Amino acid sequence: MNYLIKNADLVNIDDLTTEETDILIEGNRIAKIGNGLSCQEAETIDAKGMLALPGFIDCHTHMAQSFIKGPLDDIPITEWLIRLFAIDAKMDEEIYYYATLLGCLESLRFGTTCINEMGDTAHIPEQVRAIADAGIRATYGVSTTDVPENDATPILSIPEALAYHQKVLDTVNAEGKGLIRASVAPAGLPAVSGELAKACKRFADEHGLIYHTHLGEGRQETENVAKAYGLNGEAEALAELGVLDKNVLLAHSIWLSDHEIDLIKEYGAYPVHCPNTNLKISDGIPKIAQMLKKGIPVTIGCDGEASSSNRDMIREARCGAYLQKGVTLDPTVMDASTALKMMTINGAQALGYDDLGLIREGYRADLILADMSNDLGLTDRKHRVSNLIYCGDGHAVDTVFVNGELKLRNKKLVGFDEKKIIEKCNDLIDKLNEAVEA
Ligand SMILES: [Zn+2]
């Protein structure tokens, strides 16, 4: 199916100006941008007054946690992690499928067209099937661990861990429908030995995959790693292990020395800012402003809802921007244009795409239309783009295309009965809560 989007206000993400134009989508690509376009074989979408933006790219997610929003509120990170593993152990195949599906559908609803998912070694086929059924673009890997960070950490041998990464690759190749790419996603050095980290990186490089990991999230855990390696922190350790390079995404990146920020810049790795999690479970505040000033292309991630309670990239970006402004006493850091780049083009680059993250002829057709005309809180035609970031949220998103396919129209998911999905998920969440309490 081809689509002709008429009279949309195309956003320039550098200066936040807009220009009314038509956008023709042919197959999975943006074929043409210009005024007065016509195409007889295309379905026409009237986008008069709507903003056209690249789809958002969420660079750190744990989708199955969409069923664990609430039970782990307001507790310290160590206890949080132990209880998370306990709940996870009660999640069967059906729960994993629907929890992952729900997370993906929430993302689409809020304008996210691509995710970087760190899933679980349990139920890999169900997770891949859920992502594929949702029809969201994804890079998907599973978290592996071989060091007991706490009593609940699953301990794998290196061959066992690599077998899981191989299973991800095989499952994605067989069932990813061309929209999913595999990654290697060891949890993070507090729970991953140097040997496993190196083995994972070798596997990733052999297969041309992204290496996705947590970095410097908990202060105590980071100090433990630093002490064990005789270094200043986890980024120094990754550099020494030969893991750090431009194919590496580093979720959180909080507890870093200035030298480690320089290392990230030097090696070209991509930090993922997850501010809602950092604040809600009191991890700490990363030096994002400093990274941005050095020209590091920081990305944004909503993380898992067990920690962030959020799957809306607009709310995530706003939280991050306000946080950095507040701690630096500098309102110019992480301005609205920078936030928008972190939500789009930076994420595309981090995930290895050179034709994603912008609305441009020839690029993959992942784009959204935001309708702010009926929102009392979003009036002011001139400042719509910054208002979307600073006072809007994902509910403003009206239309979503992923790979040229219509996924959301008139603020409703296409191809899914939202009411049925919500009922089914509520029933399964009740079942999960009962199993955990039993
Ligand atoms: Zn995470």
Side-chain angles (χ1 to χ4, degrees):
M1 172 71 83
N2 300 330
Y3 293 95
L4 179 59
I5 301 169
K6 293 293 288 180
N7 305 311
D9 292 325
L10 180 61
V11 173
N12 179 328
I13 63 173
D14 288 317
D15 60 13
L16 306 186
T17 58
T18 62
E19 192 181 348
E20 190 173 304
T21 189
D22 302 341
I23 302 165
L24 176 63
I25 296 173
E26 283 182 350
N28 65 352
R29 298 277 164 177
I30 297 165
K32 223 170 176 45
I33 300 170
N35 289 315
L37 298 183
S38 64
C39 177
Q40 285 185 340
E41 295 93 49
E43 184 180 325
T44 300
I45 289 180
D46 177 15
K48 181 83 180 165
M50 291 196 208
L51 294 177
L53 296 146
F56 304 139
I57 299 178
D58 187 337
C59 276
H60 182 62
T61 61
H62 305 279
M63 284 301 177
Q65 289 181 20
S66 66
F67 272 22
I68 319 173
K69 189 158 55 181
L72 302 180
D73 285 349
D74 312 323
I75 55 176
I77 183 168
T78 308
E79 188 189 343
W80 177 89
L81 200 54
I82 291 169
R83 284 173 57 181
L84 178 70
F85 281 128
I87 298 174
D88 201 61
K90 303 283 184 190
M91 295 174 72
D92 62 20
E93 290 170 1
E94 188 185 29
I95 287 179
Y96 244 95
Y97 172 83
Y98 276 98
T100 305
L101 182 69
L102 180 66
C104 293
L105 295 182
E106 263 188 272
S107 292
L108 288 167
R109 171 62 195 90
F110 293 142
T112 296
T113 53
C114 179
I115 57 168
N116 183 34
E117 166 72 355
M118 184 183 282
D120 195 274
T121 52
H123 317 307
I124 290 170
E126 285 73 21
Q127 293 171 62
V128 172
R129 194 156 50 82
I131 296 168
D133 288 351
I136 196 167
R137 189 182 300 282
T139 299
Y140 168 79
V142 294
S143 168
T144 49
T145 47
D146 69 338
V147 172
E149 185 181 3
N150 55 53
D151 293 344
T153 312
I155 303 300
L156 302 170
S157 69
I158 291 175
E160 281 170 342
L162 292 178
Y164 280 121
H165 296 310
Q166 183 67 51
K167 187 174 178 182
V168 165
L169 187 56
D170 294 342
T171 312
V172 164
N173 284 342
E175 296 175 42
K177 297 182 183 170
L179 267 189
I180 309 178
R181 292 178 173 182
S183 76
V184 178
L189 287 185
V192 171
S193 67
E195 288 68 34
L196 178 57
K198 283 195 282 191
C200 284
K201 183 57 178 155
R202 267 197 306 275
F203 185 90
D205 288 347
E206 266 169 36
H207 298 283
L209 309 180
I210 292 294
Y211 183 105
H212 174 201
T213 193
H214 295 108
L215 182 89
E217 183 177 6
R219 183 166 63 176
Q220 186 58 53
E221 290 78 3
T222 305
E223 282 172 9
N224 295 346
V225 171
K227 215 164 146 192
Y229 281 82
L231 296 167
N232 289 312
E234 292 181 21
E236 278 191 17
L238 283 185
E240 189 157 295
L241 291 166
V243 168
L244 224 47
D245 66 22
K246 66 177 177 46
N247 299 316
V248 175
L249 277 88
L250 305 165
H252 303 293
S253 296
I254 300 169
W255 299 102
L256 298 174
S257 66
D258 291 350
H259 171 60
E260 288 182 292
I261 291 174
D262 288 339
L263 280 177
I264 288 172
K265 164 84 176 158
E266 184 188 329
Y267 284 98
Y270 292 86
V272 188
H273 188 23
C274 309
N276 275 305
T277 285
N278 301 164
L279 290 173
K280 185 158 177 266
I281 59 172
S282 310
D283 281 337
I285 299 171
K287 300 175 194 168
I288 301 299
Q290 195 175 324
M291 295 179 201
L292 292 169
K293 276 198 176 133
K294 285 185 184 290
I296 296 173
V298 181
T299 65
I300 293 196
C302 293
D303 204 358
E305 286 169 88
S307 58
S308 70
S309 302
N310 179 52
R311 189 134 310 292
D312 178 344
M313 284 285 281
I314 294 175
R315 283 181 265 184
E316 197 70 37
R318 175 163 65 244
C319 176
Y322 284 4
L323 183 60
Q324 293 302 313
K325 293 170 195 296
V327 295
T328 58
L329 306 180
D330 179 357
T332 67
V333 299
M334 207 176 152
D335 59 22
S337 163
T338 304
L340 203 47
K341 287 175 188 164
M342 292 164 73
M343 298 159 73
T344 56
I345 184 67
N346 290 9
Q349 285 173 4
L351 294 174
Y353 290 93
D354 58 7
D355 54 0
L356 189 72
L358 293 173
I359 298 180
R360 188 174 280 181
E361 288 180 5
Y363 271 46
R364 291 167 201 255
D366 290 13
L367 58 99
I368 64 175
L369 301 172
D371 179 11
M372 298 152 75
S373 61
N374 296 319
D375 191 326
L376 290 169
L378 292 172
T379 48
D380 183 344
R381 291 190 190 95
K382 192 173 173 205
H383 299 101
R384 277 182 301 163
V385 187
S386 63
N387 282 347
L388 183 65
I389 304 294
Y390 288 139
C391 57
D393 61 36
H395 290 105
V397 176
D398 176 272
T399 302
V400 172
F401 288 94
V402 178
N403 211 38
E405 284 203 21
L406 195 54
K407 305 304 297 180
L408 187 83
R409 182 77 183 112
N410 298 323
K411 307 196 175 190
K412 289 279 170 216
L413 290 168
V414 175
F416 288 93
D417 183 330
E418 288 180 26
K419 214 170 152 219
K420 269 193 186 153
I421 294 272
I422 291 168
E423 270 172 28
K424 177 76 181 171
C425 290
N426 269 325
D427 288 346
L428 288 171
I429 291 169
D430 286 345
K431 184 180 150 190
L432 176 61
N433 287 335
E434 278 165 26
V436 171
E437 284 156 19

